[in-house]
Amino acid sequence: ASPKYKFLRDENLQASRHLPDALIIGVKKSGTRALLEFIKLHPNVQAPSSEMHFFDKNYVRGLSWYRNQMPLTLEGQMTMKKTPSYFVTKRVPSRVKKMNPYVKLIVVVRDPVTRAISDYTQSSSKKPEYLRKSFADLFYINGTNVVNTRWGIVRIGLYARYLDTWLKYFPLSQFIFISGETLIVDPAAEMKRLQDFLGLKVIITEKHFYFNTTKGFPCLMKSETLASPHCLGKNKGRIHPKIDESILDRLTQFYRPFNLKFYQMTGIDFGW
Ligand code: A3P
């Protein structure tokens, strides 16, 4: 090729870093990692796995620092990041809006009751003090039967409340709500919705998934880095402890009005 031709080709293929076009903002323990790993398969998406907590913990470093942390992207590729704590962190929406008022916001949600147990299971595996206290001990305010809404694990499931805050900054049309339950039983369906929402050609389909009966979850035929079939790590899809039926009923009742409000706000009945 002539030098000029080469120059033009390099220009066209020049990679650069840019601020995220889309953020997976939550909700913790709803399937956010699975969604990120799945969307990474798309050739027009660059989505690093690391969570850098820019908008909640590293904001003082500034947007140019944040941009420098982004992966290199080619023309036509979008940048995506995931930080599940953003959904429930009050100071985040206004900061995100300052970065880009048109950013696309992805929220994975799951039955808040199962989400709470998943969160508790994760916390017990990380923090030894949890092992001394049962779910019931933490769930009720000392010796009463009043639900302890100050316990983060309960509070995070109040989706309507957090969405309300986000909607003060972004219109509903900028959000997509992914069902954590559907993501398990029919990942291709949720991935189609996501690709449509992001304006991407639908490339991730049934062909990318198989159901691994040992894991009990859908796994990938291949990914960005691995050409062979594989599942998410063992910290995704943990075995949950058995929680007393009466607590589960109480938790279900407790979330009911908040769930209904959330269905109303999003226009989606998630069936919890
Ligand atoms: P459990 O480990 O409690 O089963 P997050 O990535 O947001 O922390 O969510 C973790 C949850 O993702 C897991 O919770 C699991 O139920 C769910 N999940 C959804 N799809 C999955 C998949 N393909 N493989 C493993 N876990 C998946």
Side-chain angles (χ1 to χ4, degrees):
S2 73
K4 188 177 170 207
Y5 176 68
K6 186 174 179 301
F7 171 72
L8 280 174
R9 269 194 19 170
D10 285 351
E11 269 295 91
N12 288 341
L13 287 176
Q14 207 167 47
S16 63
R17 296 178 203 281
H18 65 266
L19 292 166
D21 308 285
L23 293 171
I24 301 176
I25 55 175
V27 178
K28 185 184 176 197
K29 302 319 294 170
S30 297
T32 58
R33 171 64 55 188
L35 191 77
L36 182 75
E37 293 307 312
F38 299 167
I39 196 64
K40 274 165 85 158
L41 294 172
H42 201 290
N44 294 100
V45 174
Q46 281 289 352
S49 294
S50 64
E51 287 176 20
M52 59 190 54
H53 287 271
F54 174 68
F55 292 104
D56 53 357
K57 296 183 185 155
N58 287 301
Y59 196 61
V60 289
R61 293 174 188 256
L63 281 171
S64 54
W65 174 85
Y66 188 44
R67 186 188 296 109
N68 273 322
Q69 309 306 308
M70 294 302 145
L72 287 166
T73 41
L74 296 171
E75 171 94 45
Q77 281 190 317
M78 64 189 306
T79 302
M80 191 182 295
K81 287 292 297 169
K82 137 174 139 82
T83 307
S85 57
Y86 287 170
F87 189 63
V88 299
T89 310
K90 232 179 167 171
R91 58 187 179 280
V92 170
S94 62
R95 291 175 171 181
V96 171
K97 187 170 181 175
K98 251 191 216 159
M99 172 192 76
N100 177 4
Y102 305 106
V103 70
K104 296 192 163 141
L105 300 163
I106 303 163
V107 189
V108 190
V109 285
R110 177 188 197 181
D111 182 339
V113 178
T114 340
R115 197 219 70 81
I117 300 165
S118 173
D119 205 348
Y120 170 76
T121 310
Q122 168 165 290
S123 299
S124 317
S125 76
K126 286 185 177 168
K127 299 179 200 151
E129 68 266 25
Y130 262 78
L131 293 173
R132 287 193 294 275
K133 290 196 168 177
S134 69
F135 192 90
D137 292 339
L138 298 154
F139 178 62
Y140 290 120
I141 293 175
N142 282 342
T144 68
N145 68 350
V146 180
V147 176
N148 181 6
T149 51
R150 296 179 78 175
W151 188 27
I153 283 180
V154 168
R155 210 176 51 235
I156 293 174
L158 303 175
Y159 304 147
R161 213 189 250 188
Y162 297 107
L163 180 59
D164 208 40
T165 306
W166 277 89
L167 287 176
K168 293 195 170 74
Y169 298 89
F170 296 95
L172 190 65
S173 57
Q174 263 166 258
F175 294 82
I176 185 170
F177 301 93
I178 299 287
S179 154
E181 285 84 11
T182 311
L183 193 62
I184 295 171
V185 294
D186 190 356
E190 287 307 78
M191 293 316 290
K192 173 165 188 332
R193 285 184 61 229
L194 180 61
Q195 292 167 92
D196 286 343
F197 170 76
L198 295 172
L200 296 169
K201 192 171 159 203
V202 179
I203 288 180
I204 305 162
T205 61
E206 298 75 27
K207 284 186 267 176
H208 288 85
F209 303 99
Y210 72 99
F211 193 84
N212 183 311
T213 44
T214 317
K215 174 97 180 158
F217 284 93
C219 298
L220 289 172
M221 297 301 288
K222 61 179 171 54
S223 70
E224 209 184 27
T225 47
L226 270 175
S228 52
H230 63 280
C231 300
L232 296 193
K234 58 178 186 300
N235 59 345
K236 301 293 171 186
R238 292 185 174 100
I239 294 171
H240 294 174
K242 180 129 187 55
I243 308 287
D244 205 82
E245 278 300 324
S246 65
I247 292 190
L248 293 181
D249 287 348
R250 186 80 174 79
L251 203 47
T252 305
Q253 269 177 37
F254 167 76
Y255 281 126
R256 189 78 193 140
F258 296 97
N259 288 347
L260 292 177
K261 174 96 193 293
F262 186 66
Y263 299 168
Q264 223 173 43
M265 293 169 88
T266 57
I268 305 173
D269 179 347
F270 288 91
W272 307 318

